[in-house]
Amino acid sequence: MSTGPLPNLVNKTLVEAQNQVEALGLRLSTNGIGDYVYCGDRPDCLVYRMAPRAGTVAQHGGEVGSRFVTGEEWAF
C-alpha cells in the first residue's frame, strides 16, 4: 500500500517533519551534521536534506531519512 507523494520537508522543523511523516504512516530517521544525532523539541533544528525526495511515492511503514542543522550551525 502506498502513502501518496512525500511532502517537501526541507526548511521544516524536525517536529513538523516528524508530524507530517507519521501522518502518512511512515517513520522519520534523523541525523545532524554536527554533534547532534537527535534534536528533541528544539525549535531551531531544521531539515536541510531528505531522502527519498519530495514527491516520491513511499510504501506505508517505510522510512524517510533527514539531515538537519541547528540554528547555531546554520549561522556558522
Side-chain angles (χ1 to χ4, degrees):
M1 179 167 106
S2 65
T3 63
L6 292 175
N8 186 3
L9 303 176
V10 175
N11 292 325
K12 303 273 186 193
T13 67
L14 282 182
V15 172
E16 291 170 323
Q18 181 80 35
N19 290 339
Q20 287 186 336
V21 167
E22 286 180 356
L24 293 172
L26 303 168
R27 296 181 319 271
L28 181 69
S29 67
T30 61
N31 194 9
I33 64 168
D35 295 332
Y36 299 99
V37 175
Y38 179 75
C39 199
D41 291 337
R42 288 179 55 165
D44 69 335
C45 290
L46 300 173
V47 175
Y48 77 90
R49 186 180 300 160
M50 64 179 280
R53 291 183 172 160
T56 302
V57 176
Q59 294 298 317
H60 185 76
E63 183 175 277
V64 177
S66 67
R67 297 277 294 180
F68 68 87
V69 293
T70 65
E72 299 98 33
E73 292 166 338
W74 190 261
F76 183 71

